[in-house]
Amino acid sequence: MHLGVTCLVISIVCSAALEQGRSSWTGKLLVVPMDGSHWTGVKAVVEEMGRRGHTVIVVIPEISMRLGPGKHYITKTFPITYGQDLINQMIGEHVHELTEPEQFMRNAFNYMASTTESLLKSRELIEFLREQNFDAVLTDPALPMGAILAYNLSVPAVYMLRGLLCEAAATGSPDPPSYIPRFFTQYSNRMSFSQRVLNVFVSMLEPLICKFVYWPFEELTYNFLQRDMSLIEILSTGAVWLMRYDFSLEFPKPLMPIMQLIGGINYGIRNPLKKEVEEFVKGSGEHGIVVFSLGSLVSSMPKEKAAIFFKAFSMIPQRVLWRYTGEIPDDVPENVKLMKWLPQNDLLGHPKAKAFITHGGTHGIYEGICHGVPMVMLPLFGDQGDNVHRVATRGVGVVLSIHDITAETLVDALNTVINDSSYKQRMEKLSAIHNDRPMQPLDLAVYWTEFVMRHKGADHLRPAAHDLNWLQYHSLDVIGFLLFIVLIITLATFKCCALCWRRCCRKSQKRKED
Amino acid sequence: MHLGVTCLVISIVCSAALEQGRSSWTGKLLVVPMDGSHWTGVKAVVEEMGRRGHTVIVVIPEISMRLGPGKHYITKTFPITYGQDLINQMIGEHVHELTEPEQFMRNAFNYMASTTESLLKSRELIEFLREQNFDAVLTDPALPMGAILAYNLSVPAVYMLRGLLCEAAATGSPDPPSYIPRFFTQYSNRMSFSQRVLNVFVSMLEPLICKFVYWPFEELTYNFLQRDMSLIEILSTGAVWLMRYDFSLEFPKPLMPIMQLIGGINYGIRNPLKKEVEEFVKGSGEHGIVVFSLGSLVSSMPKEKAAIFFKAFSMIPQRVLWRYTGEIPDDVPENVKLMKWLPQNDLLGHPKAKAFITHGGTHGIYEGICHGVPMVMLPLFGDQGDNVHRVATRGVGVVLSIHDITAETLVDALNTVINDSSYKQRMEKLSAIHNDRPMQPLDLAVYWTEFVMRHKGADHLRPAAHDLNWLQYHSLDVIGFLLFIVLIITLATFKCCALCWRRCCRKSQKRKED
């Protein structure tokens, strides 16, 4: 039985059963999503919540990349000050623009701060939302406007995220740098001494980086709430954190009870392939297909770069399906199908899928793991470097650099993951572990969202760590006090001994003098 | 709808659905249980595993308190060197014997060490077990013979436990003493400075206490394995830890991915009451019933102590069902029914249950919470002091001391929890939270046991923390190194400044001299 089919069957059976078991109570959910790939998982939950009869209102900016109306929810838009230009800059027509991460991050943060400001200034919309008396807010804290709004409306918040720079401080979760590699270090959980030194160093800088990165939001928060409250304090009020990862990809680490793992939330939604695509896939014969996408932000690449890929693909027996919207050259090899939109998950779930060329975004990686397809990875920016490193250490994929890729290296990498059966074997093991869980991630995400709505939060899961300052949390005041006591006792003992010694000496001196 | 009924319905629906979804693969499970109340949860899993078609072999000593054959599993006994006397001493005919915890603990540890020695010396049985090629071992690590055996047989182990002194070291779970109260301190998660001082002090002693308590087992382990391996090292090989608690009772704290919460595992098993008991309960009218049990280790109490209870019960309008096997006095009040065996969970699940008098064992407490019955608690020994403190801080129960209890204090306590409606209200809220979980604890325990069997362990959940020593884990070597670097830089800067200063001084001196 093909792996993809297995997960789908379990998902449907469990969903139905759990729905039967639960009461038919419905509530009101406010959703403040983040644009781009962050919307994928949130949208799945939003649609499911609406399908279950909850009233779901999704608040989105007037212009966006991927946000929009859906079947089971209502959208409310708010005006923004930027135009389509900024969005276009973000999407990045060409891959080389995205390999300049600084410019991309600057654009992204401008966009995020501007969007937040626009929402928080939409007084009328906010008053409308206040009147709705929502039971919960579902939001991605990477764009903290939803968290700030939830706090202002006094509605418990459910966060859905891949990870956050300020995560440990906001969740109260211990995060020992001795075996938990920091973001962007590309270390594993087994580090050499020098790696540990750098990891500890980065972990010390983290609060500062966090403060720096979210600086614009601190001011917006103050202006909106008229209270001197840090963003970390607001984020720490989140009732439940739905983390978009699991330990088939991540290294095992401590979790707080408010954190629930929903890695691979997107693969549950499967559709049959269009007839034309299905025929192209089936026609690949025993060699099968290669699925190629660099994610939603990169749709094309410079002509010279594309030529390398075309050349490589002409040298392999597999058929290739490539998400590509750029200029189509005359000599596209016969085994390559260029598509403006790629049904990536459905293609990876097809028994003919032999390899997946990806930029290493988490959504794609989990789809690859779920369906057991070995990968060739070309990380571009953000967490992708860390992601592909994790995949590579598990021996289920090969990493290449987009900068110095050649047709030969690409063909080599594809041949390795397709023809070296150890890649497929390890991937099938990893896939089996990833797919074997008590509850499907979408069901779990919906469950915890409903839990927060039913119980008006999840206070019983909130650790008392949040009531302690840094010194208290690490017991440094207590250790200082204990050291002080030890010092006093040592000094007193020393003084006593010295006193006794002196007296003894004096006596013996006197005796000598006598 | 009564709470107890709700949990049962969800449990059945979900079980059935999950079974349908899973494959029909079956395997072989070895179970090495601990006697007494520890057997309750393990037995539930064992019976369910057998019912699902797995071959389950339970290894028990020739003589025991509660261990024995069942419907869906095979038992294998091993000879022991102690007799029924030791067991009788453990059960404690009278409650005052149990309030001498030192003697009880001494008996218990003698019994545990002797049982372990007997099992590890049963070479023939162990060879038989080795030939079975089990897929997993299910055991309670509080009695570590199962863990040692699993290690020797090279079979992955699933632990089921309430908690362990050496738990943090064995799981690798961070355990900050600043907000996680230590066993037997009876502190909450919000401690004063002096409480934190004592808590940190106890946490520092913990490794020593752990070493001391499990000392006899270290020697037995060495003799059996012929390897110099500490018990902590063996326990840390456990693939999955099924923890018999949840955060309706415990204070929120970090958990490792190998830890799964199955608090309240026992309440899923419900049976209708016997006709005679049902009639007695129904006859209580609007006043309802009080359920009274001091657990499986205490069946009776001294005459004078019992008289206090009889007197108190004669003063309340409720009917009382009491687990009592002692001498029955002539003047038992009409509203009291003495029973040798009490269907505690079924009684607490009855709509007429108004209060529960308990010694504060976890099984009973979770049954009370599940069914939403406020409690009067008489802690005797072990973790019961901590348990009842947690229940009391949630405002759903009253604590009394068995030593200085009087009929008046007992009647007062019962009247408070029954007639002060705030107790019932808080208890219903707590019960709703406890019962609202994505999967019932028995299903979750069975799921993870099967997971370990299917995948021959759960290596992907094992934290790299186990590969680090204490200094490395806390990054103290790195911090020392960084401090050394800082010191060098400071010294060098200081020297440079001093040198510059001296030169400047000399020059100005020279100029003056010129």
Side-chain angles (χ1 to χ4, degrees), chain A residues 17 178 190 196 247 252-253 255 257 433 436-439 447 451 454-455 460 462 464 467 472-473 477, chain B residues 13 17 178 189-190 196 247 252-253 255 257 433 436-439 447 451 454-455 460 464 467 472-473 477:
Chain A
S178 50
R190 286 179 174 84
R196 283 199 295 116
F247 298 113
K253 62 177 187 177
L255 298 172
I433 282 169
D436 193 348
R437 47 181 123 188
M439 206 167 165
Y447 173 82
F451 183 99
R454 277 193 290 270
H455 301 283
H460 71 298
R462 186 177 164 80
D467 305 335
Q472 290 169 330
Y473 176 83
D477 55 346
Chain B
V13 174
S178 49
N189 56 348
R190 288 177 174 85
R196 283 199 295 118
F247 298 113
K253 62 176 187 178
L255 297 172
I433 281 168
D436 193 349
R437 48 181 124 188
M439 206 168 165
Y447 173 82
F451 183 99
R454 276 193 291 270
H455 301 283
H460 70 299
D467 305 335
Q472 291 169 330
Y473 176 83
D477 54 347

Side-chain angles (χ1 to χ4, degrees), chain A residues 94-114:
Chain A
H94 286 309
V95 67
H96 62 78
E97 286 174 343
L98 279 175
T99 53
E100 289 163 13
E102 279 160 38
Q103 183 55 41
F104 175 78
M105 293 311 268
R106 213 172 299 136
N107 282 343
F109 271 91
N110 280 343
Y111 157 79
M112 283 164 64
S114 179

Side-chain angles (χ1 to χ4, degrees), chain B residues 149-311:
Chain B
L149 187 60
Y151 182 83
N152 178 254
L153 299 178
S154 305
V155 176
V158 177
Y159 298 154
M160 188 188 289
L161 66 159
R162 159 72 176 92
L164 209 61
L165 258 175
C166 331
E167 189 183 304
T171 58
S173 185
D175 206 15
S178 49
Y179 72 97
I180 304 176
R182 288 308 184 255
F183 271 129
F184 309 127
T185 57
Q186 298 183 26
Y187 292 157
S188 87
N189 56 348
R190 288 177 174 85
M191 291 172 263
S192 67
F193 180 75
S194 58
Q195 286 178 332
R196 283 199 295 118
V197 169
L198 199 74
N199 207 51
V200 168
F201 190 70
V202 174
S203 80
M204 284 168 168
L205 289 182
E206 242 170 20
L208 289 178
I209 301 173
C210 173
K211 200 87 192 164
F212 175 76
V213 165
Y214 285 104
W215 188 253
F217 298 98
E218 299 273 357
E219 207 186 315
L220 289 170
T221 307
Y222 179 80
N223 290 339
F224 179 60
L225 298 177
Q226 290 294 316
R227 277 185 69 173
D228 199 10
M229 205 170 169
S230 76
L231 197 62
I232 293 283
E233 282 174 280
I234 288 177
L235 290 179
S236 76
T237 61
V240 166
W241 293 58
L242 304 171
M243 313 301 299
R244 259 193 358 251
Y245 61 72
D246 73 15
F247 298 113
S248 63
L249 181 65
E250 288 300 311
F251 301 118
K253 62 176 187 178
L255 297 172
M256 294 310 280
I258 48 164
M259 297 159 85
Q260 296 292 329
L261 304 191
I262 54 154
I265 189 166
N266 45 319
Y267 64 58
I269 312 145
R270 295 273 304 274
N271 297 301
L273 293 172
K274 271 186 196 166
K275 206 183 157 196
E276 173 213 352
V277 180
E278 179 71 45
E279 273 170 15
F280 182 79
V281 171
K282 274 195 176 157
S284 65
E286 54 165 341
H287 292 298
I289 59 162
V290 171
V291 183
F292 178 20
S293 167
L294 294 181
S296 56
L297 294 181
V298 183
S299 51
S300 79
M301 57 175 77
K303 223 173 166 181
E304 318 80 64
K305 205 52 104 183
I308 297 172
F309 286 90
F310 282 120
K311 190 180 164 197

